[in-house]
Amino acid sequence: MQLLICGMHRSGTSAVAHMLSESCRRTLLEDPDWAMTGRLIDVSAPAEEIARFDIVKCPRMTEVLPDALDAYPQARAAVLVRDPRDVLCSILEKVNAGMPTRMLEFTRLGVAETGAAGFARAYATYARTILTASAGAGAGRVHLVPYEEFCADRPARIAALADWLGWTSDRQVSESIQSRQLGPFHTKHPSDQSIKGAGRWRTELSESDQAALEPALTAYASLREAAR
């Protein structure tokens, strides 16, 4: 593994991973089975599988990002940072469609609350872990990618990320797939594979949920500041 792509789930990790993989012609491991349930205890356990791929896309690795960087000293991490209000909207899209999901279960993080309040606490926990990893990683091994900036010009952000890695990217490839639904198909209802983008919370999120997300918005502001 040369690059770990992570961040809160539903933050654009799949889109970045696939665009980078295809435009740079790099192998990709996406959402491995060992990272789908429970708490990640030993991040070195899947080392043999991870070693077979250039890019590993695994949002749950964010929870143990400092340990992951220690376990894989040759790797860098690109962390997607998305407005928590839009992240929650994306999760609720799946919930409201009646599709099973564990995306709002955070007992593994010691979060007992459910719904928007639990999500807010989990988002703040993710943010603290990301900032800890960013401060402790040597030689600039953590690169924060604001989702909103990625959406504004996807090929340009992919080119910048490739440049940071010292890879060569094909902009024509990025441009040809930028409007494609690159997220895991099982996380969206088959009847709607559209890309909602940034700012969807303004029309989709209830006032009560917005109020419950205040801790997450504070954490988001810290991440955006660190991404400058």
Side-chain angles (χ1 to χ4, degrees):
M1 174 176 67
Q2 297 180 53
L3 178 68
L4 169 65
I5 296 180
C6 59
M8 196 65 154
H9 42 239
R10 309 309 283 260
S11 291
T13 53
S14 290
V16 169
H18 282 283
M19 287 186 68
L20 190 68
S21 173
E22 294 191 34
S23 67
C24 295
R25 296 175 177 83
R26 300 280 174 159
T27 55
L28 170 64
L29 172 63
E30 182 176 19
D31 295 326
D33 291 340
W34 45 261
M36 300 307 290
T37 60
R39 184 174 179 83
L40 296 174
I41 303 297
D42 183 4
V43 294
S44 64
E48 184 176 344
E49 179 182 15
I50 282 176
R52 299 198 297 268
F53 297 88
D54 300 315
I55 303 170
V56 174
K57 175 257 174 177
C58 182
R60 288 280 301 282
M61 289 280 272
T62 316
E63 299 171 14
V64 290
L65 186 54
D67 291 337
L69 291 172
D70 286 343
Y72 303 97
Q74 79 287 355
R76 294 185 180 188
V79 184
L80 270 292
V81 176
R82 187 180 187 183
D83 188 320
R85 294 167 295 191
D86 280 339
V87 175
L88 182 57
C89 283
S90 187
I91 296 172
L92 292 177
E93 177 183 2
K94 184 175 183 181
V95 172
N96 294 335
M99 303 173 70
T101 181
R102 291 187 296 269
M103 288 184 181
L104 289 177
E105 295 177 7
F106 298 105
T107 54
R108 66 185 181 278
L109 301 180
V111 177
E113 296 96 331
T114 59
F119 170 80
R121 279 197 60 193
Y123 189 100
T125 299
Y126 268 56
R128 286 193 297 271
T129 305
I130 293 165
L131 293 172
T132 297
S134 183
R141 293 174 61 200
V142 178
H143 183 69
L144 304 187
V145 182
Y147 173 83
E148 293 75 16
E149 295 179 11
F150 168 66
C151 284
D153 192 339
R154 295 183 176 212
R157 292 300 299 189
I158 292 299
L161 187 55
D163 185 64
W164 176 65
L165 293 162
W167 296 354
T168 299
S169 63
D170 187 330
R171 187 179 177 93
Q172 287 187 328
V173 171
S174 293
E175 291 175 346
S176 69
I177 64 175
Q178 64 176 320
S179 298
R180 188 193 307 170
Q181 174 52 257
L182 298 171
F185 292 116
H186 68 274
T187 65
K188 294 180 74 67
H189 195 279
S191 66
D192 183 6
Q193 293 293 322
S194 63
I195 299 173
K196 302 298 192 301
R200 59 185 298 184
W201 65 269
R202 293 185 176 88
T203 57
E204 297 182 24
L205 201 62
S206 69
E207 291 185 4
S208 60
D209 281 347
Q210 290 183 44
L213 290 181
E214 285 302 322
L217 287 171
T218 300
Y220 174 60
S222 298
L223 291 172
R224 287 304 303 259
E225 180 64 27
R228 292 181 179 175

